[in-house]
Amino acid sequence: MLPIRAATVAAFAGFAAVPALTQAQTAPSSPSPAGPSATAQPAVVLPPVTVSAARGSDIEKLDVSTTVLSRQQIQAMPETGVDQIVNKIPGVWTFTIPTGQLHPTGQPFSIRGFGSSTTINTLVMVDGVPINDPYFRTVDWSVVSKDSIERIEVIRGGGATSLWGNMAMGGVVNIVTRQPSRTGVSLDANFGSYDTFNGDASGTVILNDRLRAGLDYSHQQSAGYNLTPAQYRNANLVATASKVDNVAFSTFLAPSDNFSLFAKAYYHQAYEDGLVWSLAHNQWSSYRLLLGGSYKLDETSAVNFSAWAAGGVFGTTNASSGSYTLNNITALNQFVSQTETAPNNNQGGSIFYRLDTEHIKDVKIGVDFRRIQITDNINLFASATSAPSIFVNRGEHRLEGAFAQGTWRSANLPLDITVGLRGDFYQAVDASQLIANVAATNTIPDSSAASFDPRIGVKYYVTDELVLRAAAYRNFSAPGMNQMYRSFASGTSFTTTNPTLQPMTNLGEEAGFDFNWRKVSLSATFFNNDLDNFIDFVKVCNANAACAAPFTAAAGLGPAFTTVNQYNNVGSANFRGFEVIAGWQVLPELRLSANFTQTTARLTSSNFPALEPTGVQLGEVPGWMLNLGAEWRPMPELVLNINLKSFPAYWNDTGHTQLNDAATLVDLGISYAIRKGVEIYGIAQNLFNTQYLAQGYTLTSFEGPTVNASSIPALGMPLTIVGGLRASF
């Protein structure tokens, strides 16, 4: 670790000299070009502090592939859930099962293949605060309602890790909520299929030129649909009902023209009732407190800072299938296999100095940190009448980073070069597992790691219409706490712990172009990533009681659990592919869009060749994705929006024992403004009611012919229709 620390200190010392050197220049320099022509530049004025995915930079001017969805675009999209909205963004993948019908620990999210329900390596934030669960790293998309969003920012790939560090290996998504802009009230309510109701009420007040505040409350509930195909249902296999409540308060204060502050508070509560089995339930509550601001030192430099504290509790009740199988669906002897309560608390923050000079733009030098503590109380039951095996898992992870980044703009060429440096430091401390039944406490040794993660990017302005860009980067991702410390049981499956997991590292490159001509836009990006110590969810035993016995016996479980899973550093992996994004404003009233992403994700070496083979597609990474969209405004008051998403059949796991169906899904939306500030709308998701298995049949061997009858497939979301009203006063 000492060489990495030394390299980090030396690199940052050099970078820190940039502001002094640039400000020491007294002789005027030639003006630098913003593009291909070297025209004079106006005086640089820093924008107000924002909690953006690029830490205040203009995200659309970065040297990597990005997307920004505006509030107008989001409101027009024919999807109600934030997870389904994000799923239409180029390169992004989430399950097509709505977030309220998935187990909180089983919600995949990835960009360019980086991330699954078991290993998420993409950072998701609301107003600059991570909402990846601190324990599971999955994303509960219901923490924010559609109506509360101002914009969604996406940076694809690892080009942003010099600013954000851990978990940004696959990219960054930042959901920015609305700021108070007037004194008034807004309402949004819709009703629809499966007794669904979504409501949002917000009020904002502008007290004076210096102070404004806002309050937002949203409620979502649904009786849900039955995930189990009809031919396999019995009385205990039920629809998954859900309920969500969110409260958010924000205030913005400007004590002076040079000083601005903001404070935000959020509370979230989600319930799921009857997740596949009627005995299964989940609840997830969390709070977040955020304080930040900016102090402008002069017209070209500022100090930005933020700090946050958060916490919550995850609770679950899982069910064992008993003697139920796909061949014995009348069995009703299911029982509770697990109860769990996992409280967490976490804190974090950052401070950075920002500077613009004539030739060195958007310099940022700063530090960030995060601390996570977890206590996981688990009761595992071998049968309906057995006493529980009681586990109490504890641990703490600490993450610190120092970063510097700046863009050099050539005085003679239409060229920008961005260099970023980051030092990441990670510690896993104070971890233990108490097995209450035998009064034994296993103390897990502390561990730590450090990583020096530089990046470089280039943008070359060929013409006013065409820009070439390329970037190369190294990044780092620590193992998740649940991957190291959590054991759990569900159905006939048991997952055991692995506290020896090591961080993953990645070397990535990408190159592409952006072309804008008249009403047409086209961009393409080719990407390649080589990961070491890749973490995957290994099915150590697959429907094999003899193989599972040593693991389950150590946990006090019986022979009903025949499948054993464990997180492992499985070897090295390669992620490569390309994405193409196009838009065409055909008429002032009509815009068309299209994007296509191809991803090949494979192990190049394996520590478990019989279980995790090399050369095959990794789990939960579709080989390609296609999105098509059209927005038509035949009159100022009327908007029609249609989205299509298509994807092939793909394996749910790297062991290729579960194949999920291909599907082409169409969503349709329509809205009509009755008068200024009042709008009615309708949404139909999966318009043609396409029937498919979002989670397919499980096989007993690699791409084998035999179905594991103890595993139940799950249906994708059927046709869902809602109608609603938006109003602002």
Side-chain angles (χ1 to χ4, degrees):
M1 183 181 296
L2 286 176
I4 293 176
R5 291 185 185 275
T8 302
V9 170
F12 277 83
F15 212 112
V18 170
L21 292 172
T22 56
Q23 289 182 330
Q25 296 176 346
T26 55
S29 302
S30 301
S32 61
S37 57
T39 55
Q41 297 293 304
V44 177
V45 179
L46 289 178
V49 61
T50 57
V51 279
S52 72
R55 290 197 188 270
S57 302
D58 186 340
I59 190 172
E60 295 178 303
K61 294 183 179 179
L62 299 181
D63 52 27
V64 291
S65 180
T66 65
T67 293
V68 178
L69 291 181
S70 68
R71 177 170 177 79
Q72 184 183 40
Q73 291 173 304
I74 294 166
Q75 292 285 36
M77 291 183 74
E79 290 83 29
T80 55
V82 177
D83 55 322
Q84 302 306 312
I85 292 171
V86 170
N87 203 21
K88 302 303 186 291
I89 295 174
V92 171
W93 175 257
T94 67
F95 269 155
T96 53
I97 299 173
T99 188
Q101 300 217 196
L102 286 168
H103 197 284
T105 66
Q107 304 197 23
F109 176 69
S110 70
I111 297 178
R112 295 180 177 174
F114 279 84
S116 64
S117 57
T118 55
T119 304
I120 290 181
N121 296 307
T122 300
L123 180 63
V124 183
M125 301 180 289
V126 171
D127 294 330
V129 178
I131 61 168
N132 299 83
D133 185 83
Y135 190 30
F136 304 105
R137 301 173 77 159
T138 52
V139 180
D140 179 4
W141 295 99
S142 66
V143 298
V144 59
S145 66
K146 177 179 178 178
D147 191 60
S148 67
I149 299 174
E150 179 64 29
R151 66 183 184 275
I152 299 175
E153 307 167 330
V154 178
I155 301 175
R156 284 175 283 273
T161 41
S162 59
L163 296 177
W164 292 106
N166 182 55
M167 286 194 61
M169 185 177 283
V172 175
V173 175
N174 187 43
I175 301 170
V176 180
T177 58
R178 284 187 295 167
Q179 295 186 12
S181 59
R182 63 180 183 87
T183 296
V185 175
S186 297
L187 302 172
D188 188 345
N190 62 67
F191 301 84
S193 305
Y194 309 106
D195 295 325
T196 296
F197 168 73
N198 298 295
D200 193 291
S202 62
T204 55
V205 58
I206 308 300
L207 297 170
N208 53 49
D209 292 342
R210 300 289 186 183
L211 181 62
R212 49 199 167 118
L215 179 66
D216 182 273
Y217 169 72
S218 66
H219 176 80
Q220 308 162 37
Q221 66 181 50
S222 176
Y225 70 94
N226 199 317
L227 292 162
T228 305
Q231 66 269 34
Y232 300 125
R233 294 175 193 166
N234 65 26
N236 290 342
L237 287 161
V238 297
T240 302
S242 61
K243 184 173 70 171
V244 175
D245 291 285
N246 292 314
V247 180
F249 172 77
S250 61
T251 183
F252 298 81
L253 174 66
S256 69
D257 291 342
N258 294 328
F259 189 29
S260 60
L261 291 168
F262 64 88
K264 301 186 177 186
Y266 314 82
Y267 178 76
H268 167 71
Q269 180 77 64
Y271 299 92
E272 291 177 336
D273 187 24
L275 186 62
V276 181
W277 293 109
S278 59
L279 292 172
H281 313 279
N282 296 299
Q283 63 180 41
W284 209 349
S285 64
S286 62
Y287 71 88
R288 304 189 308 279
L289 305 173
L290 170 63
L291 175 66
S294 177
Y295 184 74
K296 188 164 68 172
L297 303 172
D298 53 41
E299 290 303 312
T300 62
S301 63
V303 175
N304 289 3
F305 58 91
S306 66
W308 47 268
V313 179
F314 164 76
T316 189
T317 301
N318 289 332
S320 169
S321 304
S323 56
Y324 173 95
T325 69
L326 301 182
N327 302 318
N328 183 29
I329 67 171
T330 58
L332 298 174
N333 60 337
Q334 290 73 48
F335 61 90
V336 171
S337 61
Q338 174 182 350
T339 61
E340 178 179 10
T341 304
N344 71 79
N345 68 81
N346 61 106
Q347 305 85 35
S350 69
I351 183 169
F352 64 93
Y353 170 73
R354 184 176 174 191
L355 171 71
D356 267 354
T357 69
E358 186 176 5
H359 293 299
I360 308 296
K361 305 293 182 181
D362 204 16
V363 175
K364 299 184 182 72
I365 302 173
V367 295
D368 53 31
F369 72 94
R370 189 178 185 187
R371 174 177 176 265
I372 305 168
Q373 289 180 310
I374 187 74
T375 300
D376 192 5
N377 305 285
I378 299 177
N379 296 328
L380 300 180
F381 299 89
S383 70
T385 58
S386 65
S389 298
I390 301 173
F391 298 84
V392 181
N393 305 312
R394 291 186 173 89
E396 179 178 334
H397 281 193
R398 301 170 185 167
L399 297 151
E400 305 92 17
F403 59 90
Q405 183 167 297
T407 299
W408 175 75
R409 181 163 294 168
S410 170
N412 302 309
L413 295 172
L415 178 69
D416 291 348
I417 299 176
T418 300
V419 175
L421 308 171
R422 185 176 179 91
D424 276 306
F425 308 96
Y426 154 74
Q427 307 90 40
V429 300
D430 297 335
S432 65
Q433 183 181 62
L434 167 66
I435 306 175
N437 301 62
V438 294
T441 299
N442 299 323
T443 301
I444 299 170
D446 294 351
S447 61
S448 63
S451 182
F452 178 59
D453 300 322
R455 62 98 69 201
I456 186 169
V458 176
K459 289 190 77 172
Y460 185 76
Y461 300 85
V462 181
T463 67
D464 289 337
E465 297 81 19
L466 179 63
V467 179
L468 305 181
R469 51 180 167 76
Y473 35 79
R474 185 182 191 276
N475 41 42
F476 157 96
S477 183
M481 297 184 76
N482 77 304
Q483 295 174 329
M484 299 175 70
Y485 309 135
R486 183 175 183 248
S487 59
F488 62 94
S490 179
T492 59
S493 178
F494 171 66
T495 296
T496 187
T497 61
N498 187 357
T500 64
L501 286 174
Q502 299 299 306
M504 295 182 289
T505 56
N506 173 54
L507 288 174
E509 313 90 30
E510 61 182 86
F513 67 85
D514 300 306
F515 177 74
N516 289 278
W517 178 72
R518 295 183 179 177
K519 303 297 183 179
V520 175
S521 63
L522 177 66
S523 67
T525 306
F526 300 84
F527 56 88
N528 181 75
N529 297 273
D530 292 299
L531 281 78
D532 287 327
N533 286 332
F534 180 68
I535 297 174
D536 204 1
F537 194 55
V538 182
K539 193 170 290 186
V540 180
C541 305
N542 187 7
N544 187 328
C547 172
F551 297 95
T552 57
L557 299 177
F561 299 94
T562 60
T563 297
V564 176
N565 306 296
Q566 185 182 48
Y567 293 95
N568 280 281
N569 293 107
V570 298
S572 300
N574 176 263
F575 292 72
R576 66 175 60 184
F578 66 90
E579 59 207 14
V580 179
I581 305 169
W584 180 23
Q585 192 74 45
V586 184
L587 301 168
E589 304 83 13
L590 177 64
R591 179 168 181 80
L592 304 178
S593 62
N595 62 80
F596 179 85
T597 302
Q598 186 275 330
T599 305
T600 300
R602 297 176 176 176
L603 290 178
T604 54
S605 67
S606 177
N607 301 324
F608 304 87
L611 302 172
E612 299 272 302
T614 59
V616 302
Q617 190 79 349
L618 294 175
E620 294 185 355
V621 183
W624 55 266
M625 295 179 288
L626 171 68
N627 291 307
L628 302 176
E631 182 178 284
W632 183 38
R633 297 176 180 265
M635 59 183 71
E637 302 84 5
L638 180 64
V639 182
L640 291 93
N641 201 304
I642 188 167
N643 283 336
L644 177 149
K645 188 177 186 78
S646 184
F647 52 88
Y650 65 98
W651 293 99
N652 205 57
D653 62 323
T654 305
H656 286 201
T657 61
Q658 186 178 23
L659 184 64
N660 300 335
D661 284 353
T664 296
L665 308 172
V666 176
D667 300 339
L668 176 67
I670 182 170
S671 64
Y672 181 76
I674 300 172
R675 61 180 180 83
K676 184 177 180 180
V678 180
E679 178 183 3
I680 56 174
Y681 62 91
I683 291 173
Q685 292 185 248
N686 192 0
L687 179 65
F688 301 110
N689 200 27
T690 301
Q691 302 292 302
Y692 65 102
L693 294 177
Q695 294 177 317
Y697 291 97
T698 299
L699 310 174
T700 58
S701 60
F702 178 85
E703 298 185 13
T706 305
V707 171
N708 178 359
S710 64
S711 181
I712 306 172
L715 294 167
M717 183 174 64
L719 170 64
T720 302
I721 299 174
V722 301
L725 171 73
R726 298 187 190 102
S728 299
F729 307 99

